[in-house]
Amino acid sequence: MYTYFFQGLTMGLAYLAPIGMQNLFVINSALNDSRRRAFLTALIVAFFDITLSASCFFGIGSLMEKYETVKLGILLLGSAVLIKIGLSLIKTKAEEIRKEGQSMPIGKTISSACFVTWCNPQAIIDGTMMLGAFHVTLLSNQALPFMSGIISASFLWFLGLIFLISLFSGKINSGVLTVINKVCGVVIIVYGMSLLKTFFSQL
């Protein structure tokens, strides 16, 4: 079962690491708020990320278990989406992140974290395709370890992001962020190719 936990952990980290709305929200908090408040922001973002991941994984996964054509379609679309995301990340250059803005009230932090997670159509589509596709490749006793890895990845990534940026804020620049994107792009492409292989094996 550790294999599936590690697979979920690595997939979750690779998917979260590319610079997007969630990460920029957390990074902004790390650069502007106290460390305690920044960690609280990271926990809030991780909570909404986990709820979205669970919804994508179990909702679409259950549907695909009942309908073979849906299963094959999601596998094909999921692999295509992952490969496309990976290629775009390799080509993308992250913009310079600057210190700006003031610490927002906790209520606004919660609503904003919810917005950048649940009101991001691309994140919902990508998450559904990626996690739903992986769900059909796992047995029932393998799904929980895999999702445990995904959940752990959310906490590790967002809390780790706060910790690292608070320590090395002076060294975080566009070059570092671009390298992160490229490495994660390669990892995501590898996972996409794995899903594509599963698709062809089930035809």
Side-chain angles (χ1 to χ4, degrees):
M1 294 300 107
Y2 289 109
T3 299
Y4 301 102
F5 173 84
F6 183 73
Q7 185 181 42
L9 181 66
T10 54
M11 185 69 252
L13 289 173
Y15 185 69
L16 288 169
I19 305 306
M21 288 196 295
Q22 285 178 310
N23 286 336
L24 291 176
F25 186 72
V26 172
I27 289 170
N28 182 66
S29 179
L31 294 174
N32 291 283
D33 300 335
S34 66
R35 184 174 297 183
R36 180 179 179 181
R37 179 56 185 275
F39 275 118
L40 177 59
T41 297
L43 288 173
I44 292 170
V45 173
F47 168 77
F48 285 114
D49 181 72
I50 289 167
T51 58
L52 176 62
S53 296
S55 298
C56 291
F57 184 77
F58 291 107
I60 299 299
S62 298
L63 181 64
M64 289 190 296
E65 286 179 344
K66 297 179 180 179
Y67 303 100
E68 185 68 19
T69 54
V70 175
K71 173 181 176 180
L72 291 174
I74 294 295
L75 274 173
L76 181 60
L77 287 174
S79 62
V81 167
L82 284 179
I83 293 171
K84 182 179 179 180
I85 291 172
L87 290 174
S88 66
L89 288 174
I90 291 175
K91 297 176 182 178
T92 298
K93 291 183 179 180
E95 296 180 356
E96 188 74 44
I97 297 174
R98 302 179 182 277
K99 283 189 176 183
E100 56 183 20
Q102 300 296 321
S103 178
M104 64 178 67
I106 187 65
K108 188 175 181 180
T109 297
I110 293 173
S111 61
S112 297
C114 180
F115 175 82
V116 300
T117 303
W118 278 94
C119 297
N120 181 357
Q122 193 60 51
I124 295 173
I125 292 171
D126 294 346
T128 296
M129 294 302 172
M130 180 187 74
L131 295 174
F134 268 98
H135 188 273
V136 300
T137 67
L138 302 171
L139 300 176
S140 58
N141 65 331
Q142 298 168 347
L144 184 58
F146 180 84
M147 273 307 296
S148 296
I150 293 288
I151 291 171
S152 297
S154 290
F155 283 116
L156 286 173
W157 175 255
F158 291 119
L159 292 176
L161 193 60
I162 293 293
F163 181 73
L164 288 175
I165 291 178
S166 65
L167 289 179
F168 306 107
S169 59
K171 298 180 180 180
I172 302 296
N173 54 42
S174 58
V176 173
L177 298 177
T178 299
V179 170
I180 292 174
N181 273 5
K182 291 184 183 300
V183 171
C184 293
V186 172
V187 174
I188 289 177
I189 288 174
V190 170
Y191 276 107
M193 295 300 292
S194 174
L195 288 181
L196 190 61
K197 180 180 178 181
T198 301
F199 167 79
F200 284 115
S201 69
Q202 296 189 17
L203 290 177

